[in-house]
Amino acid sequence: MTTTTTTRFVSVVGGAFLGLTALSASAATEMPALPDVTGDKVQADGDFKIKFSIGTTESGAQYRGLQYFEKIVEQRSDGHIQVDLFPGAQLGDDREATSALQAGTLEMTMPSTSPLVNMFPQFAVFDLPFLFPQPEMADAVLDGEIGQQMLEDASSQGLVAIGWGENGYRQLTNSQHPVEKPEDLDGLKIRTMENDLHLDIWRTLGANPTPMSFAELFTALEQGVVDGQENPWITIESSKFNEVQDYATETNHVYTPFITLVSARFWDRLPEDYQALVRDAATKMGDYQREVSRTLNDQIKQDLKDSGMQITELSPEQVKVFQDTLEPVYKDWRDQIGGELIDDIREQVQQAQEQE
Ligand code: KDG
């Protein structure tokens, strides 16, 4: 059952903004109120507890999505399913949390696809630079045939994959100097996710990349172990990277999705009606998270500027220099990822661009 993104992507944020301001240092950013829960109550046998772990902090869009998931599941199960949220990598980073699901010691997590390429090589397609010019094109692929097939393929190795979310477009930050062209990266030590394609991207651009878990990143930036990193604006703010990074460049170089995973051991114990409830809640969480992330993106970039961060906005010509410099990455990774998958996605993106 796949529905096209546009029909499902009804605005859930509306105008209601709650004054959630205390969470991040430069926060004028207000999180939208959680939408009301729609759908009937679900009756099934047994009581269940879901521990849901993520790596980003409680002041990000990802956590706001989890709060909506919690609200839906607890209300529609009449409290027979309890959901406990663990942000900030309290229960481990993306790889550790995913292993805990396989071991059955944790019920749910929502990692980025990038750190899991070692388990699911196809996920590397999302690490290709400048693949999605607009987020709606990523939605169309993730919510379409390709994305649904990937969820089925990732429902293996002790895991059940039930939905997508948005980490977002990645932006470069550093503590040394403004970056406007690849040459400015010469000698800069850039932290990347634990992902060989990302290492290739920054090596190809002339930087000195090093892979590291997200959980270790703030300290590594603070202590100067690395000069820079790249993440979406909302993660840069919610993780307070602006407190240890003076410069940013709006590169939008990669769109990273989140994937919602459940422990297969837990899933197999869950009655079918509750499985359907959890899957529906995961879909609604992903849609809402995308909307929060996109609604707040520009506001947060402004907050970071107001907090003193020097943000370089690249001209289309400057972006093209980065794109052209990275084109060889597509050739180098074609066989490993699968030429057909890359072509199918690029064709879908092209069609969407032609319809604009
Ligand atoms: O658990 C948090 C990570 O999924 C996410 O933030 C990954 O973008 C990421 C990074 O830079 O590690």
Side-chain angles (χ1 to χ4, degrees):
M1 188 275 303
T2 53
T3 56
T4 57
T5 307
T6 41
T7 52
R8 198 179 70 218
F9 204 52
V10 177
S11 168
V12 287
V13 170
F17 280 69
L18 279 183
L20 286 171
T21 59
L23 297 171
S24 52
S26 61
T29 309
E30 296 184 10
M31 279 292 161
L34 292 180
D36 296 335
V37 171
T38 55
D40 305 334
K41 294 235 186 260
V42 177
Q43 304 287 345
D45 298 338
D47 292 316
F48 301 88
K49 182 186 278 285
I50 293 177
K51 296 188 299 301
F52 198 154
S53 167
I54 58 170
T56 56
T57 70
E58 63 185 89
S59 56
Q62 187 180 27
Y63 186 73
R64 197 68 180 147
L66 266 69
Q67 289 178 305
Y68 186 35
F69 174 88
E70 175 186 34
K71 184 180 179 183
I72 297 169
V73 170
E74 292 190 347
Q75 282 192 16
R76 293 191 56 203
S77 71
D78 226 358
H80 288 286
I81 304 178
Q82 281 298 314
V83 180
D84 293 342
L85 307 180
F86 296 89
Q90 295 169 50
L91 301 182
D93 64 25
D94 288 0
R95 287 180 171 177
E96 291 158 345
T98 303
S99 305
L101 263 62
Q102 294 173 303
T105 56
L106 181 66
E107 287 73 34
M108 292 185 70
T109 190
M110 193 179 199
S112 291
T113 50
S114 310
L116 301 190
V117 166
N118 55 338
M119 294 173 71
F120 305 111
Q122 277 195 320
F123 285 177
V125 73
F126 300 124
D127 299 309
L128 290 169
F130 304 102
L131 183 67
F132 298 118
Q134 273 131 38
E136 293 74 17
M137 295 169 185
D139 301 346
V141 167
L142 293 168
D143 300 338
E145 295 300 322
I146 292 174
Q148 296 313 305
Q149 186 56 53
M150 277 189 164
L151 291 179
E152 277 169 39
D153 297 343
S155 295
S156 59
Q157 302 180 49
L159 304 167
V160 181
I162 62 171
W164 298 103
E166 171 161 293
N167 185 344
Y169 284 102
R170 309 181 73 85
Q171 319 297 351
L172 174 72
T173 69
N174 83 87
S175 59
Q176 303 302 310
H177 53 249
V179 171
E180 297 176 358
K181 53 191 184 304
E183 294 76 24
D184 297 336
L185 289 162
D186 187 26
L188 276 186
K189 211 169 176 190
I190 302 295
R191 174 268 177 184
T192 73
M193 289 183 280
E194 295 154 304
N195 176 289
D196 292 341
L197 205 163
H198 279 256
L199 286 170
D200 231 2
I201 286 173
W202 292 99
R203 228 177 262 121
T204 304
L205 289 171
N208 171 7
T210 183
M212 183 187 296
S213 164
F214 184 75
E216 299 158 27
L217 181 50
F218 185 87
T219 307
L221 292 168
E222 189 179 38
Q223 296 175 348
V225 174
V226 290
D227 302 316
Q229 65 85 47
E230 36 83 61
N231 256 289
W233 294 128
I234 198 159
T235 301
I236 292 168
E237 184 191 59
S238 63
S239 299
K240 300 183 182 9
F241 293 157
N242 55 302
E243 294 181 1
V244 288
Q245 299 273 275
D246 298 331
Y247 306 97
T249 305
E250 187 165 43
T251 47
N252 291 312
H253 55 278
V254 165
Y255 175 90
T256 304
F258 286 131
I259 184 167
T260 304
L261 300 174
V262 186
S263 164
R265 294 185 190 194
F266 171 74
W267 189 256
D268 296 344
R269 292 204 313 274
L270 213 53
E272 274 187 24
D273 291 349
Y274 278 166
Q275 288 181 353
L277 168 58
V278 169
R279 195 184 285 279
D280 179 57
T283 302
K284 288 189 169 80
M285 166 179 71
D287 288 350
Y288 176 60
Q289 203 182 47
R290 286 170 177 167
E291 185 133 350
V292 172
S293 167
R294 291 165 202 182
T295 304
L296 297 179
N297 194 56
D298 294 347
Q299 168 69 44
I300 287 174
K301 189 172 95 179
Q302 188 54 48
D303 291 341
L304 292 169
K305 281 182 185 171
D306 298 346
S307 78
M309 205 172 209
Q310 185 178 331
I311 298 184
T312 301
E313 287 156 339
L314 299 174
S315 67
E317 295 72 31
Q318 288 174 311
V319 172
K320 182 105 178 40
V321 174
F322 281 88
Q323 282 178 311
D324 294 348
T325 307
L326 290 173
E327 197 47 41
V329 169
Y330 276 80
K331 191 165 62 44
D332 299 344
W333 282 81
R334 187 174 175 78
D335 297 344
Q336 192 159 340
I337 294 171
E340 200 184 323
L341 176 60
I342 297 173
D343 295 345
D344 288 352
I345 291 179
R346 288 192 119 175
E347 199 183 310
Q348 218 174 310
V349 165
Q350 188 143 7
Q351 283 164 4
Q353 281 178 310
E354 281 151 13
Q355 279 156 17
E356 278 175 356

